[in-house]
């Protein structure tokens, strides 16, 4: 029975994930031509790849991230790829004033907004929790509160355009994993807030879609550097992931699971066999490579 469970449940999860999240799509690049899009965390990784895909689709782009030199290169490449326009604002989302500044720039430049893609992230290591509450507060500001602040600022324009909000999150925000407690907390918060907000929009007949993107292990430079020596498995390609995020947002899906079979089966198992899922997660972690950091003040 145990062996059967190990075989059957992942297969069932994969089948359901394929059915719900990989059904034939009606996406067409023309849907994005001329649209006004903000992408945060756009200087590298998935955000950078989304910027390039959107540029090829001839959108107007406003990109933001911490590193100005990287943003300048991404903007230049976007213009070469055919973006209708491309500009940037550099800054850290730890600054509580930045979300409003970015949205105001979109309003002043375009007079409106069609899609808000929230993708930025604060760094957090993979280690045993050491009681550092200050680190959690800092992560909440970057990984959660800035998402909420930018959404609040953008709502008037998105209501006018019947626009879309795309929230890039993680399987760590759906399924508990060891050694990432502070990071996981911020991602669960995103699910709670934006899933609740979506319900409010539906009940209030506000035609703004919210797409929550639940991502597994992706081969961004930062992710590979952080966890390749800790978890078993091969990362999925960031270029394909970025395109799937854009498609999901344009098609106004409630959730995207990527890679679909892996993330979909994990979410399913969390509901029907949580202890079994926990054992799988623990078995795929190289605990001997997990570090310990001293508590604050020591």
């Amino acid at each position: 029975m145990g062996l059967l469970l190990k075989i059957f449940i992942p297969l069932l999860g994969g089948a359901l994930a394929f059915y719900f999240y990989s059904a034939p799509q009606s996406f067409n690049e023309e849907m994005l031509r001329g649209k006004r899009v903000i992408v945060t965390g756009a200087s590298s990784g998935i955000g950078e790849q989304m910027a390039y895909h959107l540029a090829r689709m001839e959108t107007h782009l406003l990109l933001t991230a911490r590193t100005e030199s990287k943003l300048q290169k991404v903007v230049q490449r976007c213009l070469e790829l055919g973006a209708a326009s491309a500009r940037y604002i550099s800054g850290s989302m730890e600054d509580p004033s930045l979300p409003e500044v970015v949205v105001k720039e979109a309003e002043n430049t375009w007079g409106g907004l069609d899609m808000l893609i929230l993708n930025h992230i604060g760094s957090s290591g993979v280690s045993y929790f050491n009681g550092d509450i200050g680190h959690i507060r800092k992560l909440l500001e970057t990984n959660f509160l800035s998402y909420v602040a930018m959404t609040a600022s953008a709502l008037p324009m998105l209501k006018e355009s019947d626009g879309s909000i795309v929230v890039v999150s993680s399987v760590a925000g759906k399924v508990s994993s060891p050694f990432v407690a502070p990071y996981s907390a911020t991602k669960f918060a995103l699910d709670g807030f934006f899933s609740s907000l979506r319900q409010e929009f539906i009940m209030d007949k506000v035609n703004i879609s919210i797409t929550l993107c639940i991502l597994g292990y992706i081969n961004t430079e930062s992710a590979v550097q952080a966890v390749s020596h800790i978890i078993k498995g091969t990362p999925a390609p960031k270029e394909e992931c970025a395109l799937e995020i854009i498609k999901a947002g344009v098609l106004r899906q409630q959730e995207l699971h990527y890679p679909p079979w892996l993330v979909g089966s994990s979410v399913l198992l969390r509901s029907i066999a949580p202890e079994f899922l926990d054992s799988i997660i623990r078995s795929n972690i190289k605990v001997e490579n997990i570090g310990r950091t001293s508590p604050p003040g020591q």
Side-chain angles (χ1 to χ4, degrees), residues 34-35 51-63 74-87:
K35 296 297 184 181
Y52 296 154
H53 284 304
L54 290 163
R56 295 185 186 98
M57 299 171 193
E58 301 180 22
T59 63
H60 296 276
L61 289 168
L62 175 56
L63 310 179
V74 175
V75 165
Q76 181 59 41
R77 181 59 179 154
C78 285
L79 292 171
E80 293 170 357
L81 290 171
S85 67
R87 57 198 303 117

Side-chain angles (χ1 to χ4, degrees), residues 162-164 207-211 247-254:
D162 293 337
S164 303
N207 192 24
I208 298 175
S209 67
I210 296 178
T211 300
K247 288 180 179 179
V250 171
L251 297 174
R252 304 172 82 86
Q253 293 176 207
Q254 286 198 6

Side-chain angles (χ1 to χ4, degrees), residues 60-179:
H60 296 276
L61 289 168
L62 175 56
L63 310 179
T64 182
R66 285 184 292 263
T67 309
E68 184 171 10
S69 59
K70 290 183 179 180
L71 276 173
Q72 289 174 337
K73 293 178 181 178
V74 175
V75 165
Q76 181 59 41
R77 181 59 179 154
C78 285
L79 292 171
E80 293 170 357
L81 290 171
S85 67
R87 57 198 303 117
Y88 73 86
I89 294 178
S90 62
S92 171
M93 287 296 175
E94 293 176 21
D95 178 357
S97 68
L98 185 62
E100 186 175 354
V101 170
V102 174
V103 174
K104 192 65 178 179
E105 178 70 14
E107 183 179 20
N108 292 339
T109 303
W110 302 323
L113 181 66
D114 298 294
M115 182 177 285
L116 174 63
I117 302 179
L118 300 168
N119 169 69
H120 57 278
I121 187 172
S123 60
S124 183
V126 181
S127 63
Y128 290 89
F129 177 58
N130 68 348
D132 189 347
I133 303 303
H135 174 59
I136 296 178
R137 288 196 179 100
K138 183 177 178 180
L139 273 186
L140 282 169
E141 184 66 56
T142 303
N143 293 2
F144 174 63
L145 293 175
S146 64
Y147 280 54
V148 175
M150 187 165 281
T151 297
S153 296
L155 279 181
M157 289 191 291
L158 292 172
K159 286 179 179 178
E160 287 186 8
S161 64
D162 293 337
S164 303
I165 301 169
V166 178
V167 180
V168 178
S169 187
S170 165
V171 68
K174 285 282 192 181
V175 175
S176 58
S177 298
F179 310 116

Side-chain angles (χ1 to χ4, degrees), residues 231-251:
I231 65 173
K232 303 170 185 176
T234 303
K238 59 182 181 291
E239 298 84 0
E240 181 179 271
C241 177
L243 183 58
E244 291 304 311
I245 290 171
I246 293 169
K247 288 180 179 179
V250 171
L251 297 174

Side-chain angles (χ1 to χ4, degrees), residues 202-224:
I202 293 170
M203 295 176 72
D204 201 31
K205 295 181 173 57
V206 174
N207 192 24
I208 298 175
S209 67
I210 296 178
T211 300
L212 190 65
C213 302
I214 311 301
L215 308 183
Y217 182 24
I218 311 299
N219 69 345
T220 63
E221 182 179 351
S222 59
V224 170

